[in-house]
Amino acid sequence: MHRIVTRLALAHTPCLGCRKVVAGKAVGLVIAPLHRPRIVPFPYLRKWCAYHVPSRALSTPGSHHDTIYALSSANGKAGIAVIRISGLACTQIYHKLCPHKKAPKPRYATVRTLFLPGTQGTEILDSAALVLYFPGPQTVTGEDVLELHVHGGNATVKAVLSAIAKCAEDGNIRYAEPGEFTKRAFMNDRLDLAQVEALSEMLAAETEQQRRAAVRGSSGSLGRTYESWRRKLLEARAEMEALIDFQEDQHFDESPASLVGNVSRQIKDILRSIGVHEMASQRSELLRNGIQVALLGPPNAGKSSFMNQVVGREASIVSGESGTTRDIIEANLDIRGYLCTFADTAGFRTATTSGAINATNSETLIGAVEEEGIRRARARATQSDVIIVLASVEEHTAGGHEIRYDIETLKLAAACQQRLVLINKIDAVPEADLRPLVRMFREDVLKRIPGLGDTIPTLISCKEARNQGSDRQDPGGVRLVADRLILAFQNMTSLPTSLQDLHGVTERQRQLLVQCRNSLEEYVEVTESPEGGNSEAAGDIDLSMAAEHLRYAASCLGRITGRGEAGDVEEILGVIFEKFCVGK
């Protein structure tokens, strides 16, 4: 049987070099410690075939053995440019560029003069390049790697890259495709797919929190966790298949019902863990995609002024005229490491609603454009992660001052898990008169709206915040609002210390976890009796269907890490690696 499986691997391996490697690999049987012998094929046979069959991998036979090179640092003028080379021809390239020089000591930096190949050391490319040689397989790609740190002028970089192409003797040196270095690392088991995705997120990170989430996902712990779950499901499936094939012929140490119960308990443990990972993915997505913040309130409450103070520029038009904002105005902002999108919306009002406490009804009609703006603001509020509602201190028509607000915006805020209520224009009234107004606003308005009873409004003044000559530490109170926003962001995205690595769970992984959970829940339904407990006899259970649910769940986990018998791993690789730049 060992020879049969080895022949199968050789049949899927077209190139001679790979056939020699396969012949020496341990491809064969593993006897599982279960109730019957179980044939487990070489665990990476599918991935080996996908990598070595031209139709599934690169376009030409043997191209995965090409030595590849690319500029790994950014394009443009710089102090130093890093050129990375990976493949069997690394030493050949070195001796072509550095003739009459012995090979550098592995993993030690060496200063060398680089020459144009074929000029017998007469034409210099770079007089002082730093050369590092890393022999495989303990390298970033699992292959021999040569790095050239050259002077970063555009002409120097182009000359060295052109010289590397001239080092080819058999046409096996070529420029790398986007993400090909990382793809080779995956194919050589230096990275799993979860780590590859974390690397992609790290390259795309723009804020500190995005960087931290990517670093936590690159540790490899997620891949190890999902692989351990997959192994448990494979063992559980073997238990099911043993019951199917040998229930009547063999004597088991445990009853079939007991075996099914043990497997079900393991499945329920995995289901609980999957729930935690799904929750963590939702929090990590907020860090990656940004937190949506909507500004709501009545017309002329100061929403645009507040937004301009937060983003630090004139993003919205500010005017004493009501209703200057009709459409949604967005601005992206990095607030202490958190990526946020602030949305300034149209002021809320209706044709017959009052805008203030004890105020008379407004007879101003709402036009079609303003009505559409309010509709869009309402829709945006329901899609936002944080809602900030502004009210303002205004002069009362009968004399004195009042707090003007819109009841609908407060109700929208109450329906959102994270919200802030701000009272603007506190500079319009003395502090002694402001306190009774705020107290009345809390007692007569906020406490009557479910969900806002414990809300303490934050007092701000956008007018004072614009005063650059103020000697106050926080003029206008805008910094206090930022502090409270950070607390809200932390509540939305933080995880316990023991679960920090789960910040690396991506949306693709979450979707696969949902599919895995659905299959495991279907398994539980099949194996449990209508009364909620395990069936008394294995004969009451559709074991074939139970085993199929376990197979599909394990396949979903295999697609997360790229291991196992996931048939669409190459398709997944294409989606992931297309985001990488050349040289990574």
Side-chain angles (χ1 to χ4, degrees), residues 59-76:
S59 57
T60 58
S63 60
H64 55 280
H65 289 307
D66 290 351
T67 296
I68 58 175
Y69 68 96
L71 177 65
S72 289
S73 55
N75 288 313

Side-chain angles (χ1 to χ4, degrees), residues 267-423:
I267 299 304
K268 290 178 181 179
D269 290 340
I270 295 177
L271 280 172
R272 283 189 288 270
S273 299
I274 288 177
V276 174
H277 282 236
E278 288 184 47
M279 176 273 296
S281 71
Q282 295 172 357
R283 292 176 175 249
S284 61
E285 280 301 304
L286 289 175
L287 296 177
R288 292 188 185 91
N289 299 331
I291 300 172
Q292 303 294 319
V293 182
L295 303 180
L296 305 180
N300 208 26
K303 300 184 296 298
S304 299
S305 298
F306 174 75
M307 179 170 173
N308 292 341
Q309 290 301 315
V310 171
V311 303
R313 59 184 175 88
E314 295 293 328
S316 298
I317 298 175
V318 177
S319 172
E321 179 184 351
S322 299
T324 53
T325 302
R326 297 296 179 91
D327 205 351
I328 296 176
I329 299 175
E330 294 185 347
N332 293 328
L333 182 65
D334 180 355
I335 300 183
R336 302 179 195 176
Y338 291 92
L339 177 63
C340 311
T341 300
F342 277 80
D344 183 15
T345 64
F348 277 66
R349 71 183 183 94
T350 61
T352 59
T353 190
S354 63
I357 299 174
N358 299 326
T360 59
N361 291 343
S362 172
E363 300 296 336
T364 304
L365 296 178
I366 298 176
V369 175
E370 185 178 1
E371 185 176 0
E372 175 63 18
I374 295 174
R375 186 196 65 80
R376 294 186 182 186
R378 188 181 296 112
R380 184 56 181 266
T382 59
Q383 301 169 1
S384 298
D385 305 306
V386 180
I387 291 181
I388 300 178
V389 175
L390 276 83
S392 62
V393 178
E394 306 287 351
E395 291 186 1
H396 198 284
T397 55
H401 292 83
E402 61 187 358
I403 294 180
R404 183 173 299 165
Y405 66 94
D406 182 83
I407 193 67
E408 184 180 0
T409 60
L410 292 172
K411 291 181 179 179
L412 287 171
C416 184
Q417 291 186 351
Q418 300 294 334
R419 66 264 179 174
L420 292 177
V421 177
L422 311 182
I423 298 179

Side-chain angles (χ1 to χ4, degrees), residues 44 47 186 192-194 223 225-231 233-234 508 512-513 516 550-570 572-573:
Y44 302 105
K47 189 164 75 172
F186 169 76
D192 58 40
L193 272 186
T225 298
Y226 298 144
E227 182 63 13
S228 68
W229 292 354
R230 191 181 72 87
R231 290 292 179 184
L233 294 180
L234 291 178
R508 184 191 73 88
L512 290 171
L513 287 174
C516 177
L550 295 179
R551 183 200 66 79
Y552 186 77
S555 175
C556 292
L557 295 175
R559 289 161 63 189
I560 293 179
T561 61
R563 295 192 171 96
E565 298 185 0
D568 56 350
V569 167
E570 281 299 309
I572 297 170
L573 290 179

Side-chain angles (χ1 to χ4, degrees), residues 164-185:
I164 294 174
K166 297 177 181 178
C167 296
E169 294 181 352
D170 302 321
N172 61 339
I173 299 175
R174 60 178 175 82
Y175 202 76
E177 299 176 357
E180 190 169 358
F181 288 96
T182 306
K183 185 173 184 179
R184 292 195 175 194

Side-chain angles (χ1 to χ4, degrees), residues 45 95 98 108 120 175 185 207 223 273-274 293 349 356 374 427 440 473-474 499-500 516 518 521 524 541 549 560 573:
L45 178 59
H95 288 297
C98 305
Y108 279 79
Q120 288 74 43
Y175 202 76
T207 68
S273 299
I274 288 177
V293 182
R349 71 183 183 94
I374 295 174
D427 56 281
M440 183 170 58
Q473 186 175 3
D474 183 18
L499 301 178
Q500 290 293 312
C516 177
N518 292 337
E521 289 175 348
V524 173
I541 301 173
H549 290 319
I560 293 179
L573 290 179

Side-chain angles (χ1 to χ4, degrees), residues 33-36 239 242-243 246-247 250-259 262:
L34 300 169
H35 305 287
R36 66 184 178 97
E239 297 276 5
L243 288 176
F246 301 102
Q247 182 177 0
Q250 299 290 333
H251 173 71
F252 294 92
D253 295 334
E254 298 178 89
S255 66
S258 178
L259 290 175
N262 291 336

Side-chain angles (χ1 to χ4, degrees), residues 524-546:
V524 173
E525 292 180 3
V526 169
T527 57
E528 287 190 347
S529 64
E531 289 76 15
N534 292 321
S535 298
E536 294 297 328
D540 299 334
I541 301 173
D542 189 346
L543 297 178
S544 298
M545 184 61 67

